[in-house]
Amino acid sequence: MARELEPYQNIERSIIKKFRKEIWRPFIEAVQRYELVNEGDKIAVCISGGKDSMLMAKLMQELQRHSKVKFELVFLVMDPGYNEINRQKIESNAELLHIPITVFETDVFAVANTSEKNPCYLCARMRRGYLYSKAQELGCNKIALGHHFSDVIETPVMSMFYGGQLQAMLPKLHSKNFEGMELIRPMYCIHEDAILDWKRYNNLQFIQCACRFTENCAICDNGGGGSKRQEIKTLIRRLKRIIRISKSIFNSIHNVNIDTMPGYKTDGDYHTFLEKFDACMDGEPEE
């Protein structure tokens, strides 16, 4: 008689079996193609409590379990000032999924809420800084964020339409302010639709954007009519009915012909740009 699996084991099994083509293979593709994980790494897997970061944590666990490359993981949860309900939801999900989280407190929401001009930018900048700092304190050399394929293709379109420039989201990025630290995005090739399907298949419920001021934020994806990211999501969804736009955008950021550009810069304000457009992306509402 077959042994009955625990809930977390069924969830893990679904990643490898049920969603092998849609999630596991694209994950491995990104890790190998962009050389995101190396021997001896100690990686802080940053968990915000949304569907993306929680799935990323399970993927990294599975990779560690099956990979010949030896590396360490720390599952890092920064509490920027969550309300009690969201904090408990993150902790209960971590327990359900058998993710051994390390939680640390910050005052990000309290500080960002005092900013009248751009609280989302301040919040994103502070959160990134706290994550780097805590990861470094714990002896990590990398932090992993849960940005996925949909985030990747939306970013250059947003930068053109709303920023007047052409910039993309890199699969890995060396920190300019924290020596020896690197940011990686292991879900770079996983489509958001697959993440939603995985969540629904396993009947999982995660927190959405827990930010207190996204209702008035123009660049955060809170699902409202004023959300720039939501506008781009809708536009790409409409265009997908006509052409294979998602793959074309993704391929284009890997095939840039500098000789055809009348002007370009090699670094500039790239980090500032990402902080603006990364704001509140992991805890975005579901469709």
Side-chain angles (χ1 to χ4, degrees), residues 106-270:
T106 70
D107 59 354
V108 171
F109 283 176
V111 174
N113 200 29
T114 64
S115 174
E116 296 181 359
K117 291 185 177 181
N118 199 335
C120 287
Y121 168 66
L122 179 59
C123 177
R125 186 177 182 87
M126 291 179 66
R127 288 166 73 163
R128 186 69 57 83
Y130 273 120
L131 288 170
Y132 269 125
S133 182
K134 186 64 176 181
Q136 197 170 55
E137 177 188 320
L138 294 173
C140 299
N141 64 308
K142 292 179 180 178
I143 67 171
L145 299 184
H147 298 133
H148 47 67
F149 180 91
S150 302
D151 296 325
V152 174
I153 65 169
E154 289 161 12
T155 299
V157 180
M158 288 182 69
S159 76
M160 283 193 295
F161 285 15
Y162 302 115
Q165 55 187 323
L166 181 56
Q167 293 192 358
M169 179 180 284
L170 291 171
K172 62 180 178 181
L173 180 68
H174 290 282
S175 173
K176 296 178 68 175
N177 300 318
F178 295 86
E179 187 176 356
M181 293 294 293
E182 188 175 37
L183 181 157
I184 62 172
R185 295 183 168 99
M187 297 174 68
Y188 203 79
C189 298
I190 300 176
H191 289 247
E192 185 176 25
D193 287 345
I195 301 172
L196 287 167
D197 288 343
W198 170 80
K199 181 194 81 72
R200 292 166 184 151
Y201 177 81
N202 289 289
N203 196 28
L204 297 169
Q205 298 296 325
F206 301 112
I207 71 167
Q208 298 181 21
C209 187
C211 179
R212 299 172 184 172
F213 33 76
T214 51
E215 291 181 1
N216 299 315
C217 177
I219 64 172
C220 291
D221 182 13
N222 64 342
S227 165
K228 300 306 181 187
R229 183 167 290 278
Q230 191 64 31
E231 290 175 8
I232 295 301
K233 279 180 179 291
T234 302
L235 174 63
I236 291 176
R237 189 182 303 115
R238 288 173 180 169
L239 290 173
K240 281 169 67 175
R241 300 169 188 168
I242 306 171
I243 57 175
R244 299 177 65 187
I245 190 169
S246 298
K247 187 174 183 179
S248 294
I249 295 173
F250 188 78
N251 288 342
S252 71
I253 66 174
H254 292 79
N255 295 290
V256 178
N257 189 339
I258 295 296
D259 293 336
T260 67
M261 300 292 178
Y264 66 90
K265 50 189 176 182
T266 56
D267 190 4
D269 298 323
Y270 180 70

